[in-house]
Amino acid sequence: CWVCLVCCCKKNCQFSNNCCSKLGGNVKAYDANKNIKVSVDYPIFECNKKCKCTSSCINRVVQLGSKVNVCIYKSRYPGWALRTYNDIKKGQFVGIYVGEIITVEECNQRIQNSSSSIDYTWKLDFNGPKTCKFFVDSTNYGNFTRFINHSCEANLSIHFVWINCLNRYFPQLALFANRKIFAGEQLTTDYFVHRS
């Protein structure tokens, strides 16, 4: 049951078999340094506000926010872009793709009347494209992640993470480094991984 995941761990869940990740049927998503170690098709259940563990828990990463320093800058192509000031380790959390959560119908309508850009919309389709009901649209409301551009050789991957809202249709879209990223390097993701 996705709506009732709560662990009773007292400290950091590192050695517990009853942590939210185990209760969700998955292997532990993060290593001891809080870097991701599962593939993009694994659902990640972080410990949540009802859990007894502390913020030092190894299963609390996305909810603690980004620890990377980034810069939005004007590039020659394709326009605005994002780069990092510091080296980013492979598996390190970079940020959450945020925006308005809208229905598929609303998304199609916005794109048709040009009030949203397809470049700023992401499907919330962990359950598959046929059951997708919602999109995240950062055209008008978002954070620094909306300036991440596409690359076929992307250095970031999107993972589906559930924290306090365990509704299967509303995961967090969390961006993690899929390789070491060097200071000054542009941050990119593959736009077409979760799009039809």
Side-chain angles (χ1 to χ4, degrees), residues 147-160:
F147 296 101
I148 295 172
N149 289 313
H150 166 76
S151 173
C152 292
E153 297 178 11
N155 52 27
L156 300 175
S157 298
I158 290 192
H159 292 258
F160 294 94

PDB file of all heavy atoms in Angstrom, residues 147-160:
ATOM      1  N   PHE A 147      16.135  25.612 -16.635  1.00  0.00           N
ATOM      2  CA  PHE A 147      17.159  26.065 -17.574  1.00  0.00           C
ATOM      3  C   PHE A 147      18.104  24.939 -18.005  1.00  0.00           C
ATOM      4  O   PHE A 147      19.076  25.174 -18.708  1.00  0.00           O
ATOM      5  CB  PHE A 147      17.959  27.222 -16.972  1.00  0.00           C
ATOM      6  CG  PHE A 147      17.113  28.437 -16.737  1.00  0.00           C
ATOM      7  CD1 PHE A 147      16.641  28.735 -15.469  1.00  0.00           C
ATOM      8  CD2 PHE A 147      16.749  29.265 -17.785  1.00  0.00           C
ATOM      9  CE1 PHE A 147      15.835  29.847 -15.251  1.00  0.00           C
ATOM     10  CE2 PHE A 147      15.943  30.371 -17.584  1.00  0.00           C
ATOM     11  CZ  PHE A 147      15.480  30.660 -16.308  1.00  0.00           C
ATOM     12  N   ILE A 148      17.809  23.724 -17.570  1.00  0.00           N
ATOM     13  CA  ILE A 148      18.606  22.573 -18.002  1.00  0.00           C
ATOM     14  C   ILE A 148      18.206  22.220 -19.426  1.00  0.00           C
ATOM     15  O   ILE A 148      17.034  22.010 -19.719  1.00  0.00           O
ATOM     16  CB  ILE A 148      18.395  21.369 -17.052  1.00  0.00           C
ATOM     17  CG1 ILE A 148      18.925  21.714 -15.656  1.00  0.00           C
ATOM     18  CG2 ILE A 148      19.058  20.116 -17.598  1.00  0.00           C
ATOM     19  CD1 ILE A 148      18.596  20.688 -14.592  1.00  0.00           C
ATOM     20  N   ASN A 149      19.181  22.158 -20.301  1.00  0.00           N
ATOM     21  CA  ASN A 149      18.923  21.874 -21.709  1.00  0.00           C
ATOM     22  C   ASN A 149      19.051  20.390 -22.031  1.00  0.00           C
ATOM     23  O   ASN A 149      19.574  19.610 -21.252  1.00  0.00           O
ATOM     24  CB  ASN A 149      19.870  22.691 -22.592  1.00  0.00           C
ATOM     25  CG  ASN A 149      19.514  24.153 -22.579  1.00  0.00           C
ATOM     26  OD1 ASN A 149      18.357  24.526 -22.727  1.00  0.00           O
ATOM     27  ND2 ASN A 149      20.498  25.008 -22.366  1.00  0.00           N
ATOM     28  N   HIS A 150      18.588  20.042 -23.224  1.00  0.00           N
ATOM     29  CA  HIS A 150      18.628  18.664 -23.707  1.00  0.00           C
ATOM     30  C   HIS A 150      20.011  18.306 -24.230  1.00  0.00           C
ATOM     31  O   HIS A 150      20.710  19.119 -24.824  1.00  0.00           O
ATOM     32  CB  HIS A 150      17.624  18.470 -24.844  1.00  0.00           C
ATOM     33  CG  HIS A 150      17.839  17.208 -25.603  1.00  0.00           C
ATOM     34  ND1 HIS A 150      17.481  15.973 -25.113  1.00  0.00           N
ATOM     35  CD2 HIS A 150      18.416  16.978 -26.806  1.00  0.00           C
ATOM     36  CE1 HIS A 150      17.810  15.041 -25.992  1.00  0.00           C
ATOM     37  NE2 HIS A 150      18.381  15.630 -27.026  1.00  0.00           N
ATOM     38  N   SER A 151      20.377  17.046 -24.017  1.00  0.00           N
ATOM     39  CA  SER A 151      21.545  16.466 -24.661  1.00  0.00           C
ATOM     40  C   SER A 151      21.311  14.976 -24.809  1.00  0.00           C
ATOM     41  O   SER A 151      20.776  14.338 -23.886  1.00  0.00           O
ATOM     42  CB  SER A 151      22.813  16.705 -23.839  1.00  0.00           C
ATOM     43  OG  SER A 151      23.897  15.984 -24.417  1.00  0.00           O
ATOM     44  N   CYS A 152      21.701  14.423 -25.932  1.00  0.00           N
ATOM     45  CA  CYS A 152      21.620  12.970 -26.111  1.00  0.00           C
ATOM     46  C   CYS A 152      22.660  12.266 -25.236  1.00  0.00           C
ATOM     47  O   CYS A 152      22.549  11.071 -24.987  1.00  0.00           O
ATOM     48  CB  CYS A 152      21.821  12.600 -27.576  1.00  0.00           C
ATOM     49  SG  CYS A 152      20.460  13.164 -28.612  1.00  0.00           S
ATOM     50  N   GLU A 153      23.674  13.019 -24.797  1.00  0.00           N
ATOM     51  CA  GLU A 153      24.682  12.492 -23.875  1.00  0.00           C
ATOM     52  C   GLU A 153      24.589  13.254 -22.552  1.00  0.00           C
ATOM     53  O   GLU A 153      25.556  13.819 -22.062  1.00  0.00           O
ATOM     54  CB  GLU A 153      26.072  12.616 -24.490  1.00  0.00           C
ATOM     55  CG  GLU A 153      26.227  11.787 -25.749  1.00  0.00           C
ATOM     56  CD  GLU A 153      27.584  11.941 -26.407  1.00  0.00           C
ATOM     57  OE1 GLU A 153      28.495  12.536 -25.796  1.00  0.00           O
ATOM     58  OE2 GLU A 153      27.710  11.461 -27.535  1.00  0.00           O
ATOM     59  N   ALA A 154      23.404  13.258 -21.989  1.00  0.00           N
ATOM     60  CA  ALA A 154      23.095  14.033 -20.789  1.00  0.00           C
ATOM     61  C   ALA A 154      23.925  13.590 -19.590  1.00  0.00           C
ATOM     62  O   ALA A 154      24.294  12.427 -19.472  1.00  0.00           O
ATOM     63  CB  ALA A 154      21.610  13.896 -20.470  1.00  0.00           C
ATOM     64  N   ASN A 155      24.193  14.560 -18.701  1.00  0.00           N
ATOM     65  CA  ASN A 155      24.928  14.231 -17.477  1.00  0.00           C
ATOM     66  C   ASN A 155      24.008  14.127 -16.257  1.00  0.00           C
ATOM     67  O   ASN A 155      24.461  13.847 -15.162  1.00  0.00           O
ATOM     68  CB  ASN A 155      26.065  15.232 -17.227  1.00  0.00           C
ATOM     69  CG  ASN A 155      25.626  16.671 -17.270  1.00  0.00           C
ATOM     70  OD1 ASN A 155      24.474  17.003 -17.007  1.00  0.00           O
ATOM     71  ND2 ASN A 155      26.560  17.555 -17.629  1.00  0.00           N
ATOM     72  N   LEU A 156      22.703  14.357 -16.457  1.00  0.00           N
ATOM     73  CA  LEU A 156      21.712  14.204 -15.387  1.00  0.00           C
ATOM     74  C   LEU A 156      20.625  13.224 -15.817  1.00  0.00           C
ATOM     75  O   LEU A 156      20.275  13.171 -17.001  1.00  0.00           O
ATOM     76  CB  LEU A 156      21.045  15.544 -15.060  1.00  0.00           C
ATOM     77  CG  LEU A 156      21.930  16.686 -14.596  1.00  0.00           C
ATOM     78  CD1 LEU A 156      21.102  17.958 -14.445  1.00  0.00           C
ATOM     79  CD2 LEU A 156      22.617  16.345 -13.289  1.00  0.00           C
ATOM     80  N   SER A 157      20.085  12.504 -14.855  1.00  0.00           N
ATOM     81  CA  SER A 157      18.959  11.604 -15.096  1.00  0.00           C
ATOM     82  C   SER A 157      17.826  11.966 -14.149  1.00  0.00           C
ATOM     83  O   SER A 157      18.065  12.403 -13.025  1.00  0.00           O
ATOM     84  CB  SER A 157      19.362  10.149 -14.842  1.00  0.00           C
ATOM     85  OG  SER A 157      20.368   9.747 -15.718  1.00  0.00           O
ATOM     86  N   ILE A 158      16.593  11.757 -14.612  1.00  0.00           N
ATOM     87  CA  ILE A 158      15.425  12.026 -13.779  1.00  0.00           C
ATOM     88  C   ILE A 158      14.967  10.729 -13.128  1.00  0.00           C
ATOM     89  O   ILE A 158      14.783   9.717 -13.796  1.00  0.00           O
ATOM     90  CB  ILE A 158      14.285  12.654 -14.592  1.00  0.00           C
ATOM     91  CG1 ILE A 158      14.667  14.064 -14.990  1.00  0.00           C
ATOM     92  CG2 ILE A 158      12.992  12.640 -13.807  1.00  0.00           C
ATOM     93  CD1 ILE A 158      13.560  14.906 -15.531  1.00  0.00           C
ATOM     94  N   HIS A 159      14.788  10.796 -11.804  1.00  0.00           N
ATOM     95  CA  HIS A 159      14.276   9.669 -11.025  1.00  0.00           C
ATOM     96  C   HIS A 159      12.962  10.084 -10.383  1.00  0.00           C
ATOM     97  O   HIS A 159      12.782  11.246 -10.007  1.00  0.00           O
ATOM     98  CB  HIS A 159      15.275   9.277  -9.932  1.00  0.00           C
ATOM     99  CG  HIS A 159      16.535   8.689 -10.464  1.00  0.00           C
ATOM    100  ND1 HIS A 159      16.786   7.345 -10.459  1.00  0.00           N
ATOM    101  CD2 HIS A 159      17.625   9.259 -11.032  1.00  0.00           C
ATOM    102  CE1 HIS A 159      17.970   7.098 -10.980  1.00  0.00           C
ATOM    103  NE2 HIS A 159      18.506   8.257 -11.338  1.00  0.00           N
ATOM    104  N   PHE A 160      12.063   9.126 -10.233  1.00  0.00           N
ATOM    105  CA  PHE A 160      10.775   9.377  -9.597  1.00  0.00           C
ATOM    106  C   PHE A 160      10.904   9.088  -8.107  1.00  0.00           C
ATOM    107  O   PHE A 160      11.257   7.979  -7.711  1.00  0.00           O
ATOM    108  CB  PHE A 160       9.693   8.492 -10.204  1.00  0.00           C
ATOM    109  CG  PHE A 160       9.405   8.823 -11.644  1.00  0.00           C
ATOM    110  CD1 PHE A 160      10.040   8.153 -12.672  1.00  0.00           C
ATOM    111  CD2 PHE A 160       8.491   9.812 -11.961  1.00  0.00           C
ATOM    112  CE1 PHE A 160       9.778   8.455 -13.991  1.00  0.00           C
ATOM    113  CE2 PHE A 160       8.217  10.126 -13.281  1.00  0.00           C
ATOM    114  CZ  PHE A 160       8.861   9.446 -14.307  1.00  0.00           C
TER     115      PHE A 160
END
